[in-house]
Amino acid sequence: MVFTQKWVEDAVRKVLNCNDGIITDEDVAQIKYLQIGETFDGEFFIQMSLENPPLPFVSPNGGDEWGYCCIRDNNLKNFIDEMVEENANSTDIELSLGLSDYKDEEMKQYAYSNKAKILWNTFEESIISDTYYEKFEDDEAYDIWYEHNQINIAKDIVHFKGVQVLRINGLILEEFNIFKELPELKVLELVETTFYSIKGIENLKRLEQLCCWVD
């Protein structure tokens, strides 16, 4: 297993408690939860867990979005069909349920329930977190570094074959076919994440839960 990003590999070693040696596909498949992307404060970050995330998935650090921007079942499938129709020729696609008519009242109530809060608090204890940042003397050098990381993070995500919950913050991805490479994926969260093509978005219909928004 070869990661394009050294900081991603280092974080994977930490969560696997593997300081040296080769990381195999089977090793990485043990990771069931992954949150990765930009902190929106000039850094990149990664969070992982070997524990199975509770489903339906709710994270209090998502704010109100979990109550209003998460859909399942037919709402999810209908939303994807609408996005295909609206973005067939687009090269700047951001999925967002913030202003959508799709509502999941049951999910909204659950998102604010004590049960969801307790399950998250227990699961959160299993999460390993890391951040990554490099300092540059000028903005141009930083922009080059940032773009390089954007591209390589997308390449590394596909290695997490066992991930059940994937949360992506502030990345730019080529297309939706990246999620076809994750056979165990049940929950996808997209925050301020842009796609250059609608290609492969049908893969999202197999999800149990989709959460997406932009500010």
Side-chain angles (χ1 to χ4, degrees):
M1 174 69 64
V2 178
F3 291 94
T4 63
Q5 300 281 78
K6 182 63 166 58
W7 64 274
V8 172
E9 178 183 332
D10 290 344
V12 168
R13 289 187 180 279
K14 180 185 291 187
V15 75
L16 293 174
N17 195 24
C18 171
N19 295 326
D20 51 27
I22 297 174
I23 301 175
T24 67
D25 293 346
E26 290 75 17
D27 292 331
V28 180
Q30 296 179 61
I31 298 170
K32 305 301 181 182
Y33 170 86
L34 172 65
Q35 185 175 15
I36 193 167
E38 184 188 353
T39 64
F40 303 118
D41 195 25
E43 298 179 332
F44 291 97
F45 78 99
I46 186 170
Q47 295 187 342
M48 293 172 290
S49 173
L50 304 180
E51 300 294 325
N52 292 327
L55 301 173
F57 184 78
V58 173
S59 170
N61 65 16
D64 292 340
E65 285 79 6
W66 285 105
Y68 296 94
C69 297
C70 294
I71 52 174
R72 303 171 294 172
D73 304 324
N74 287 335
N75 278 342
L76 191 160
K77 295 179 176 64
N78 292 337
F79 175 71
I80 296 303
D81 287 339
E82 180 182 316
M83 291 300 99
V84 170
E85 184 176 348
E86 290 183 358
N87 296 281
N89 300 311
S90 178
T91 58
D92 185 16
I93 303 161
E94 287 185 309
L95 300 188
S96 177
L97 287 157
L99 300 176
S100 173
D101 291 331
Y102 295 97
K103 303 296 180 185
D104 189 333
E105 292 298 328
E106 183 179 348
M107 185 66 203
K108 183 171 68 173
Q109 293 178 12
Y110 178 73
Y112 303 127
S113 69
N114 286 333
K115 180 180 179 180
K117 183 177 181 180
I118 291 171
L119 287 173
W120 167 257
N121 288 341
T122 300
F123 176 70
E124 188 179 28
E125 295 177 359
S126 71
I127 296 175
I128 300 295
S129 303
D130 263 321
T131 58
Y132 176 60
Y133 173 74
E134 291 185 18
K135 189 174 182 179
F136 296 91
E137 295 182 357
D138 60 80
D139 292 340
E140 182 178 358
Y142 171 82
D143 290 341
I144 293 173
W145 169 82
Y146 177 83
E147 183 178 357
H148 180 74
N149 276 275
Q150 286 269 4
I151 295 170
N152 286 333
I153 288 175
K155 292 178 181 178
D156 285 338
I157 286 175
V158 299
H159 292 313
F160 293 84
K161 304 296 186 183
V163 70
Q164 297 178 11
V165 172
L166 173 61
R167 308 173 67 191
I168 298 177
N169 289 50
L171 295 186
I172 300 175
L173 305 176
E174 286 291 330
E175 56 189 31
F176 292 86
N177 274 328
I178 183 176
F179 306 115
K180 187 178 181 180
E181 304 295 323
L182 307 175
E184 302 300 320
L185 186 63
K186 295 179 173 63
V187 178
L188 175 64
E189 174 189 326
L190 300 170
V191 180
E192 299 283 339
T193 295
T194 302
F195 295 82
Y196 288 141
S197 169
I198 203 74
K199 185 177 180 181
I201 196 173
E202 296 286 343
N203 291 306
L204 303 191
K205 287 188 175 183
R206 67 180 173 86
L207 295 173
E208 294 182 13
Q209 185 181 334
L210 173 65
C211 307
C212 51
W213 63 89
V214 296
D215 287 337

